[in-house]
Amino acid sequence: MMRGRSRSVLLCVCVVIGILCVFPITLRARPFVLVLSQEDFKDAPADDSSAAADPESSADWDDFGDSDPHKSEHELDPDSWRPIFEPDFPLSPNPPSDSEALYYSGISKIMSAATSADVRLSEEGAAEIEAAAESGYPGAQSVLGFLSGMGLLRERSKSKAFLYHHFASDGGNMQSKMALAYIYTRQDMFEKAVKIYAELAEVAVNSFLISKDSPVIEPIRLHNGAEENKEALRKSKGEEDEDFQILEYQAQKGNAGAMYKVGLFYYFGLRGLRRDHSKALSWFLKAVEKGEPRSMELLGEIYARGAGVERNYTKALEWLTLASKQQLYSAYNGMGYLYVKGYGVDKKNYTKAKEYFEKAADNDEVGGHYNLGVMYLKGIGVKRDVKLACKFFIVAANHGQPKAFYQLAKIFHIGVGFKKNIPLATALYKLVAERGPWSSLSRWALESYLKGDVGKAFLLYSRMAELGYEVAQSNAAWILDKYGERSMCLGESGFCTDAERHQRAHSLWWQASEQGNEHAALLIGDAYYYGRGTARDYERAAEAYMHAKSQSNAQAMFNLGYMYEHGQGLPFDLHLAKRYYDEALEHDPAAKLPVTLALTSLWVRKNYADGFLVHLIDSLPEVYPKLEAWVENVLLEEGNATILTLFACLLTVLYLRERQRRQGAVLAGEVAQQNHPNDIRVPAPN
């Protein structure tokens, strides 16, 4: 039966397998799951004419993610906060307007206030931003949207936040576009969301590389459940990291491999380093002089993009050609790109470009698959075949190629080869858009956190959370829960009250939960179960635990079992309680002790429904908080702890001395008994 299936059905299977893997599965965030069937394919020939077949006139599709390569990051992300965190970064050559100067002054004051917990300075900064917004400055309107949505020194208002972001978006502010698209997505208004995310994804693609694929740098998750993610943070210290310092020392001593790696770190901004194309160029040139071939390919990339050096396509082709002769097959992607564009060569040559892309693809270079997909999608030098193009894109996406996500998003958005699927297109566009220049917020937030500036880190993560980044939502909520009492949280009128802090953390966890963070869903359930920052609601707690359980969370399964056992928010059902306890153990062997105790309690409840033991077990939840409070208030109080420790030591010493005395007495008695005169037997006389 499998042999009789059509080519389309086989391709459908490839799509299912591919898309299951294209979304990176971050810690405690569920993967994106797509299931396609034959009905998802359009009843149209492979050379679907729904998009123009002429590659020169097909305005709906960009060629290779390079539709406007001459735009700077300042132009791609106007009103960025980069001047605050990277003052040496080259910005617009034009002098700033009064509104722009006022805007950046206000941002600087708010950031400084986040560090020093200075309410007055925050108010001054907010006033300057309001003044800039009144003059129609988009960046200031965007920040007012952020402050209103967050409830920072003003009444929290989602409607005002939406209005400000709408005006800023119309003015060209990309971060407000991200915020609007996320708002529409949460409300299932995909037709509106997809248009904005499509625009943002195109901007992001314009900042990607042309030959060697850039490593996907995911935002660092500060926590691993309830604990700080120390290992991930250790690897993100940039130039202060001991491993990097050792590597840099080796490079300075002439080690070619170390030179290449240091250049790579600076070029891509890896291990917490700031991207520095000039430093990367310097190290790559030194590495080539030492005979390191891998640097040749990056030098070709640098000259093709004009990154840290004047753009020179002829030099780019020379370096890429040298790299290809060293069996660095990804260099063929850059060479093929230059021939497709006609850069650095006599004229465009699609045949030669295809040949180079095939060489790259045949040697498992992801970029080769992507570029072949573009050629077949547009019919560049080949007969147009949308389904074959999709196959190439899926292979590339399966290996994490963001530009492939972008092309697949457009395929499902427009409905070329496949039926339109707007929710899927929205999700794919969002994935690409989150890799745009505005993702620098994540790096600045992490740098602030590593320096101990928790207030500034929280503010930056909160800004990212508003733009729809799940990791930022999780990080901001975790910071609030862990550090919220340190006056780093500003509310509507001064520092956050406990209610404001809990409400804000609750909102952030909820947003992260919606995007698949199982730890967030678990915390939401706990908040409703215990009434932390919200009214106690067992039914909503059960809903949140069910959500976490659907993501295979063992703790949520255990909690659901407990709620079924006691009829809290769920029907009283001992059979379902046992099922959930068993599932918790299946998913996490470390849960053996609590599950064993819970099953014992369940057995007692089932066999002695009205017995003393059942009443004792039911009273434990009331007794435990009192015991916990006593331990915390009495035992753990510093003075009491010292006295109690000394007292325990004294009792232990006295006990051991008494035990030693008794043992000595017993031993002495035994010896005396053995040597008693009456027990000495005198031999009888003969």
Side-chain angles (χ1 to χ4, degrees):
M1 186 172 179
M2 277 294 293
R3 293 177 182 175
R5 291 188 176 182
S6 66
R7 176 170 171 269
S8 295
V9 175
L10 290 175
L11 181 58
C12 169
V13 175
C14 293
V15 171
V16 174
I17 295 172
I19 300 295
L20 283 173
C21 302
V22 298
F23 283 80
I25 304 173
T26 55
L27 176 68
R28 299 184 183 277
R30 71 170 181 267
F32 186 94
V33 179
L34 170 69
V35 178
L36 297 179
S37 68
Q38 181 62 32
E39 295 179 357
D40 293 296
F41 291 84
K42 294 179 79 171
D43 295 327
D47 60 340
D48 189 351
S49 59
S50 59
D54 179 5
E56 300 299 330
S57 64
S58 182
D60 290 337
W61 306 94
D62 64 352
D63 290 354
F64 295 89
D66 192 34
S67 58
D68 195 354
H70 300 284
K71 280 192 173 183
S72 66
E73 286 199 24
H74 175 68
E75 293 171 300
L76 293 173
D77 184 21
D79 311 321
S80 164
W81 295 354
R82 193 179 301 277
I84 308 298
F85 295 94
E86 300 179 32
D88 297 331
F89 191 87
L91 295 174
S92 172
N94 302 321
S97 64
D98 292 341
S99 296
E100 185 177 5
L102 205 57
Y103 163 71
Y104 281 114
S105 173
I107 294 294
S108 296
K109 288 181 178 179
I110 288 178
M111 289 299 160
S112 297
T115 300
S116 59
D118 188 336
V119 177
R120 181 189 57 79
L121 192 59
S122 287
E123 291 172 344
E124 288 181 11
E128 290 182 353
I129 289 169
E130 284 181 359
E134 287 175 1
S135 68
Y137 192 75
Q141 293 169 337
S142 179
V143 174
L144 279 184
F146 167 59
L147 298 180
S148 297
M150 191 177 175
L152 198 155
L153 301 178
R154 65 201 60 239
E155 184 181 359
R156 187 169 180 265
S157 172
K158 291 184 179 180
S159 58
K160 283 186 179 180
F162 177 84
L163 198 61
Y164 282 127
H165 283 309
H166 181 75
F167 288 140
S169 176
D170 286 346
N173 185 275
M174 294 299 170
Q175 295 188 34
S176 276
K177 290 180 187 288
M178 284 286 290
L180 278 182
Y182 178 58
I183 290 170
Y184 288 136
T185 301
R186 291 190 73 194
Q187 297 174 354
D188 294 337
M189 299 171 69
F190 296 112
E191 290 288 350
K192 289 189 175 183
V194 74
K195 292 178 182 178
I196 303 176
Y197 274 134
E199 178 186 349
L200 293 162
E202 183 177 357
V203 173
V205 166
N206 284 336
S207 66
F208 294 162
L209 306 183
I210 61 171
S211 117
K212 190 173 181 64
D213 295 324
S214 173
V216 176
I217 305 172
E218 297 290 345
I220 299 297
R221 200 174 292 276
L222 298 180
H223 61 101
N224 184 358
E227 301 299 325
E228 188 176 64
N229 195 356
K230 295 184 183 297
E231 182 62 22
L233 293 174
R234 185 188 67 80
K235 294 179 179 179
S236 305
K237 291 186 177 180
E239 294 179 348
E240 296 179 4
D241 179 47
E242 290 184 6
D243 292 342
F244 176 78
Q245 290 173 352
I246 293 171
L247 184 69
E248 190 175 38
Y249 175 77
Q250 292 173 339
Q252 291 169 347
K253 290 296 183 181
N255 184 307
M259 290 175 178
Y260 167 73
K261 287 182 180 178
V262 171
L264 205 65
F265 287 178
Y266 277 117
Y267 187 68
F268 290 118
L270 304 176
R271 300 283 300 224
L273 289 172
R274 289 277 180 89
R275 280 182 300 168
D276 191 323
H277 293 149
S278 297
K279 283 186 179 180
L281 174 65
S282 174
W283 282 115
F284 288 144
L285 287 171
K286 290 177 182 177
V288 166
E289 290 176 2
K290 291 284 186 178
E292 168 53 59
R294 292 174 293 177
S295 296
M296 297 175 182
E297 183 183 2
L298 273 301
L299 285 170
E301 180 77 47
I302 283 173
Y303 278 106
R305 290 185 60 81
V309 70
E310 186 178 350
R311 191 188 303 267
N312 189 322
Y313 290 117
T314 303
K315 277 191 175 183
L317 183 60
E318 290 173 1
W319 282 116
L320 290 169
T321 303
L322 287 172
S324 67
K325 291 178 180 178
Q326 298 291 328
Q327 295 185 331
L328 297 169
Y329 298 110
S330 57
Y332 285 119
N333 290 318
M335 295 167 67
Y337 168 85
L338 295 177
Y339 275 102
V340 164
K341 291 288 190 178
Y343 295 158
V345 296
D346 295 335
K347 60 179 182 179
K348 294 180 180 181
N349 189 329
Y350 297 145
T351 303
K352 209 162 194 176
K354 180 173 178 286
E355 178 187 332
Y356 285 138
F357 293 150
E358 286 176 337
K359 282 185 178 180
D362 290 343
N363 287 279
D364 297 325
E365 284 297 329
V366 177
H369 291 282
Y370 169 78
N371 292 326
L372 285 172
V374 174
M375 295 193 80
Y376 279 102
L377 179 67
K378 291 193 62 177
I380 301 175
V382 295
K383 183 181 179 182
R384 191 164 188 271
D385 189 332
V386 175
K387 285 189 170 65
L388 185 56
C390 290
K391 182 179 178 181
F392 283 121
F393 289 145
I394 287 165
V395 172
N398 196 32
H399 288 82
Q401 226 284 8
K403 288 184 286 187
F405 301 152
Y406 179 55
Q407 295 293 1
L408 286 170
K410 288 202 293 185
I411 285 169
F412 286 107
H413 183 193
I414 298 174
V416 179
F418 295 87
K419 292 180 180 178
K420 282 188 178 184
N421 189 330
I422 300 302
L424 174 59
T426 301
L428 288 167
Y429 278 138
K430 181 176 185 287
L431 183 82
V432 180
E434 288 182 346
R435 307 194 191 289
W438 38 87
S439 64
S440 296
L441 288 164
S442 176
R443 183 173 71 250
W444 304 329
L446 179 62
E447 288 175 356
S448 299
Y449 183 83
L450 290 172
K451 291 175 182 176
D453 195 342
V454 180
K456 188 178 290 183
F458 169 70
L459 199 63
L460 289 164
Y461 279 129
S462 296
R463 173 62 163 177
M464 286 189 75
E466 181 189 40
L467 307 188
Y469 289 82
E470 181 275 318
V471 174
Q473 293 163 352
S474 173
N475 284 347
W478 184 79
I479 287 175
L480 268 182
D481 285 344
K482 186 173 179 64
Y483 301 99
E485 296 179 355
R486 298 188 184 180
S487 301
M488 41 69 63
C489 168
L490 290 177
E492 294 183 1
S493 55
F495 296 122
C496 285
T497 63
D498 286 343
E500 283 178 319
R501 183 162 51 84
H502 282 303
Q503 188 277 331
R504 195 174 293 177
H506 182 84
S507 176
L508 288 163
W509 283 126
W510 188 262
Q511 291 175 56
S513 171
E514 289 177 344
Q515 299 198 73
N517 187 313
E518 66 175 67
H519 178 69
L522 189 65
L523 287 176
I524 290 296
D526 289 347
Y528 280 122
Y529 186 88
Y530 295 107
R532 294 172 183 165
T534 185
R536 178 173 288 185
D537 189 328
Y538 289 137
E539 290 185 1
R540 297 192 73 172
E543 289 177 6
Y545 289 145
M546 282 290 185
H547 186 54
K549 180 260 179 187
S550 68
Q551 299 159 2
S552 302
N553 185 289
Q555 181 65 60
M557 295 171 187
F558 183 91
N559 293 350
L560 287 168
Y562 184 88
M563 294 179 80
Y564 272 117
E565 180 183 353
H566 295 85
Q568 295 176 330
L570 293 169
F572 176 78
D573 192 322
L574 298 183
H575 294 290
L576 280 177
K578 183 179 186 307
R579 180 189 299 177
Y580 279 113
Y581 286 143
D582 290 339
E583 284 187 21
L585 185 57
E586 287 175 11
H587 283 83
D588 187 0
K592 185 173 183 179
L593 178 59
V595 168
T596 301
L597 293 174
L599 290 175
T600 302
S601 167
L602 207 62
W603 181 86
V604 171
R605 190 177 302 280
K606 186 176 180 179
N607 291 278
Y608 303 96
D610 297 319
F612 167 75
L613 284 176
V614 173
H615 294 295
L616 178 63
I617 292 170
D618 288 342
S619 68
L620 289 178
E622 296 180 5
V623 173
Y624 176 75
K626 296 177 182 178
L627 178 63
E628 185 181 38
W630 182 78
V631 170
E632 184 176 350
N633 296 330
V634 179
L635 287 184
L636 298 185
E637 202 270 320
E638 186 175 354
N640 291 343
T642 304
I643 294 171
L644 287 170
T645 301
L646 292 173
F647 184 65
C649 291
L650 178 62
L651 288 177
T652 303
V653 170
L654 292 173
Y655 168 75
L656 292 175
R657 289 292 301 274
E658 179 64 16
R659 181 181 176 186
Q660 184 180 19
R661 186 189 66 77
R662 290 179 181 178
Q663 288 178 341
V666 171
L667 183 63
E670 290 177 353
V671 171
Q673 199 172 28
Q674 290 174 2
N675 296 308
H676 197 280
N678 295 332
D679 291 338
I680 299 176
R681 300 185 181 277
V682 180
N686 291 329

